[in-house]
Structures are given as C-alpha cells and as structure tokens.
Amino acid sequence: MRWALVKVSLAVTAMVVIAFAVPLALVVREMASDRAFSNAERRASGLAPVLAITTDRAELDRAVASTEDGAAGRLAVHVPAGDEPGAGPVEIGTRRAAAEDLETTRRLGRATVVEVAGGSVLLQPTAVGSGRVAIVELFVPEGERSNGVATAWLVLAGVGVALIVGSVAVADRLGVRMVRPAQRLAGAAHELGEGRLGARVPEEGPPELKSAAIAFNAMADQVVQLLANERELAADLSHRLRTPLTVLRLNAASLGSGPAAEQTMAAVEQLEREVDTIIRTAREAKPQTQATGPGGGCDASEVVRERMAFWSALAEDEGRKVRVAGIERPVRIPVARPELAAALDALLGNVFRHTPEGTAFSVDVHNGDDAVIVLVSDAGPGIADPAAALARGNSGERAGSTGLGLDIVRRMAESTGGDVRLGYSVLGGTEVRIWIALADHGDRRGTTRRSRRKRA
C-alpha cells in the first residue's frame, strides 16, 4: 500500500508538472523572442529622424556607423530610387533579407520579421518623402532571441523536480501512517495465532484502522477471558477429585493383598495420572494472559489457611499432627490465587501419598523484604534423589520422584523469578522450600537471587 501511494503520487505530480511546465516554458521562450524584437524595433526606429531629413549616402553612412548595431555590422538601410534625375537607390550595410521580403515590407507598410541564416532580421519601413519608403534592416542573432530562456527552463525544471520529490515524500509519510498500524495489526494477529495471548495493538492511526485495532483488542481480551475461565474450571474440577482419590487410595491399601486389591490400586493410580494430566494442562503457565499490575496476586496466608482447613480433616482421620506458622497476618505475593492453591495441593497430596499414616507435617510462611518463602515439611522417610524429583517432566516413573506436583510448584515459583529447593526438614523427612520473589520479573530478578544466596 505504501509503494502504491508513492507511485500514484509520483504519476499525478509528474502529469501536473508536465501540464504546467511545458506550456510555461514555451511562453517563456516566446516572451524572450518578443523582447528581443521589441528592442530591435526600438533601435531601428532611431534612424527614422535621419531618413526624414536626408537620404544622402555619406550622411546615412555616418548615422549608421554611429550606432552600436551599425558598428557591429548588423544594421543596413535600403532607400529606393527617386524620381529626380540622379536619385538612384541607396544601400548601406550588408543586406541579409531577400529583395522580395523588402518589397513585401514596403507594400505592407509595417515591420516584418524574416528568418535568415544565424538568426532573424527585422525590416522596419520608414517614409522618406515623395512616396518612397526606406527599409531599415536590423539583424537579430539567435542567441539574443533565446537570451535567458535556458536559465528560466532550468528554474522550471528545478521547481518541477522539487514538487515531485516533495509530493513523493508527503505520500510516503502518509503511506507510513496508514501502513504502520496495518502492519502492527497483522503482526499482533500472527502473535495471537501463535499463542502469545498478550498481543495487543495501539489504538491509533486512521479512523478505519483505529476501529479495527479496537475490535482486535476486544477480541483478544475475550479470548483470554474464555481461556482463563476454561482453565480455571478444569483446574477446579481436577482439585475436587484429589480428595476422593486420596480416600480411595487409602481404602484400597486397607484391602490387603489379592487380585481385587491390586486391580483397585491400579485403577486408582491410573485415575490419579489422568487427573494430574488435567491439572498440568490446566495450570500450564501463560503469564501473558494474566494481569501483572499492582492489583494482581493474592494473600498467601489466606490461601494457606483455606487449603490447610481442607487437608486437616483427612490428616485427623490418619492421625497426623499438623503445624502451621506464619499466617497470622496478610502476605501479598505476585501469584494468582488458583496457582498457589494448586501448588499447595500438589505438595500436601504428596505428603499423604508418599508417607505412612501418622506422619506429621507442617507448613510455614516466611515473609521477607524481597521474597516470601513457603516451607512444606514432613517427618517421613525423605527423598533419596532430590535432583531427579525436580527434573522437568518426571511423573513418578523414576525412583525418588514426587510426581507432577513439583513441576507445577516450580513453574509457579519461576514465574516470579524464584525457584524450588528440596532438602531434609527438621522433622526428619522431606522439606520443600518455595521461594516466591516479590521483585519484578526483569530488572530485579538478579538482585533477588543474589540476596537469596547471601541468606543461604
């Protein structure tokens, strides 16, 4: 579109320049020629008083020689023969016009211009008495007729080129103003199609493109909202299944050994894997679809209290001692409430799944200046290979893995610039430490990690 506008502007401006410059150039040439002949006619008329007084050759010679044109050999005088005896024709100077042209001028009685070699001659008739008409012939060189024409044409050409360049520049700027919003809209559409749901378009430009940008942004916001609602619905349904699955696993373990018990345990494990897959898909981190402004995040203390109230009932049935600390006051973190709830459910589910009944566990929240630390500890047998348990994509198939839950927890922590560490707790079992950075994702991440290393 940009180049099309430039080409159209170039064509239109060129036609306008040609339409006006060519006639104007011809007018300039004609004006220069008229000016030259007007000056020649004025100079030729200077001999009229002399011819009115005398037609004597000697007098006429002196009069012609006294003029600039006569001294240059461009002036001639033709006096016809008179009726008096001895009054023959008189010709002074070099004649360039033909005899027929001289007779034509005498007959017409007005000045005429005749083309000759090297230029033109002006034939000016002058009455000398007794019905005779003398002709003053003044030669006008070609250079005098075109004097100043070349300069005027160059000026016209420069003005025409300047107009064309200016129109092309203006058309290019207008094209950029029209094309750039369209390019941004196309780029944002590609980004949205590739899954980058945070793509938006500045609502600026011509009215039509501005309306398209507003419609695109509204569509993108609606798509993000629909996907968020769908993901939250899937995650909520999946978490509702976690507690019944845990109860089924415990009941299946109480069946003892036998084919029925083994089939029941296998079915429960398969169902747990399917639920984990749903949670992993639903909780797949997409930061571009979530608001990261001052109003984002949640209260970690409130989420911990809510989830511990949920899991405490099952812990009481299994005889587990539970300790919760650090949730007496609000603790704001830059994590969405469903994300933190999913991470806590994954860790607490691991405690119930991988430790025997009666094993104590605790949840501690530590609020720092640049980070919030959530510790989930238990008094179980611990994890033999913490590095393998933290490996991305390990779903429990390798020894020591705690399953999908740590992958969810790690993504949640890394979305803030933090991380997840496994170690041994003071209770004697496993300790999962979630470091949630309070700094921005970009500029302050390095500062947070350096501070974290110093504290460690």
Side-chain angles (χ1 to χ4, degrees):
M1 182 185 297
R2 176 181 177 184
W3 290 114
L5 290 175
V6 170
K7 291 177 182 178
V8 170
S9 176
L10 177 61
V12 172
T13 308
M15 288 189 294
V16 172
V17 168
I18 292 174
F20 283 92
V22 172
L24 187 58
L26 296 177
V27 170
V28 168
R29 187 179 66 177
E30 292 298 326
M31 290 178 61
S33 178
D34 293 342
R35 183 178 64 250
F37 285 115
S38 297
N39 293 333
E41 187 174 356
R42 177 179 53 80
R43 296 197 302 270
S45 300
L47 289 178
V50 178
L51 290 172
I53 296 173
T54 179
T55 58
D56 182 66
R57 177 182 292 274
E59 295 294 335
L60 293 178
D61 278 337
R62 283 193 298 270
V64 169
S66 64
T67 63
E68 182 181 354
D69 293 316
R74 295 185 297 180
L75 184 62
V77 178
H78 308 283
V79 181
D83 296 334
E84 298 84 0
V90 178
E91 288 194 5
I92 299 173
T94 303
R95 189 181 70 178
R96 292 180 174 83
E100 296 82 2
D101 297 328
L102 296 176
E103 292 299 328
T104 301
T105 302
R106 288 191 180 97
R107 186 175 66 254
L108 295 176
R110 57 182 175 81
T112 59
V113 177
V114 178
E115 299 291 336
V116 297
S120 304
V121 291
L122 172 69
L123 301 178
Q124 177 69 42
T126 301
V128 294
S130 303
R132 293 184 299 168
V133 177
I135 303 297
V136 179
E137 177 184 338
L138 182 63
F139 176 68
V140 180
E142 187 66 31
E144 187 174 339
R145 291 182 56 183
S146 60
N147 184 27
V149 174
T151 302
W153 283 6
L154 287 176
V155 172
L156 288 175
V159 172
V161 171
L163 287 175
I164 292 175
V165 173
S167 65
V168 169
V170 172
D172 182 68
R173 291 298 91 196
L174 292 177
V176 169
R177 184 174 178 270
M178 294 179 61
V179 170
R180 188 169 294 168
Q183 291 176 340
R184 285 197 293 259
L185 184 60
H190 286 299
E191 291 181 3
L192 188 64
E194 292 173 357
R196 294 192 286 272
L197 302 181
R200 296 296 183 273
V201 182
E203 298 174 358
E204 58 187 17
E208 296 79 6
L209 293 177
K210 185 176 181 180
S211 300
I214 294 174
F216 176 85
N217 291 339
M219 178 196 68
D221 292 338
Q222 187 174 7
V223 169
V224 169
Q225 186 63 39
L226 291 175
L227 290 178
N229 293 340
E230 181 181 356
R231 193 170 64 254
E232 294 302 326
L233 178 60
D236 183 66
L237 293 176
S238 302
H239 282 297
R240 290 176 183 273
L241 295 175
R242 273 298 182 88
T243 301
L245 284 175
T246 303
V247 175
L248 286 176
R249 172 181 285 275
L250 296 176
N251 292 338
S254 65
L255 294 178
S257 60
E262 293 178 357
Q263 292 177 0
T264 303
M265 288 294 294
V268 171
E269 291 177 357
Q270 181 179 0
L271 187 56
E272 283 186 336
R273 285 194 297 270
E274 296 297 333
V275 171
D276 288 342
T277 301
I278 296 175
I279 296 176
R280 179 176 58 190
T281 304
R283 293 298 181 186
E284 187 69 28
K286 293 185 181 293
Q288 292 177 332
T289 67
Q290 300 173 358
T292 58
C298 68
D299 182 2
S301 299
E302 181 182 355
V303 176
V304 170
R305 285 195 297 268
E306 177 187 337
R307 300 320 300 164
M308 288 305 298
F310 177 83
W311 289 97
S312 295
L314 184 58
E316 183 178 355
D317 293 340
E318 295 186 1
R320 297 175 183 267
K321 293 183 179 181
V322 180
R323 181 179 66 85
V324 183
I327 60 174
E328 295 80 11
R329 59 180 181 177
V331 179
R332 298 295 303 182
I333 59 174
V335 176
R337 182 188 186 91
E339 301 291 337
L340 180 60
L344 290 174
D345 287 345
L347 295 180
L348 296 175
N350 287 335
V351 172
F352 283 87
R353 185 182 306 145
H354 297 287
T355 60
E357 294 185 12
T359 301
F361 67 93
S362 65
V363 178
D364 300 281
V365 178
H366 301 276
N367 188 11
D369 295 333
D370 57 359
V372 172
I373 301 175
V374 179
L375 297 177
V376 178
S377 308
D378 64 66
I383 298 177
D385 190 356
L390 281 174
R392 187 177 295 275
N394 189 358
S395 299
E397 299 174 358
R398 296 195 298 266
S401 171
T402 54
L404 175 67
L406 289 182
D407 207 18
I408 297 175
V409 175
R410 178 174 54 189
R411 285 199 299 270
M412 183 271 295
E414 289 179 350
S415 67
T416 67
D419 60 11
V420 177
R421 298 288 179 89
L422 293 183
Y424 294 99
S425 70
V426 294
L427 300 178
T430 302
E431 177 187 86
V432 181
R433 187 189 64 162
I434 309 173
W435 185 286
I436 302 174
L438 300 180
D440 294 338
H441 292 240
D443 297 337
R444 299 176 60 185
R445 182 178 296 180
T447 304
T448 302
R449 289 183 175 176
R450 286 193 295 270
S451 175
R452 184 175 65 230
R453 294 192 190 99
K454 291 181 181 178
R455 293 191 179 187

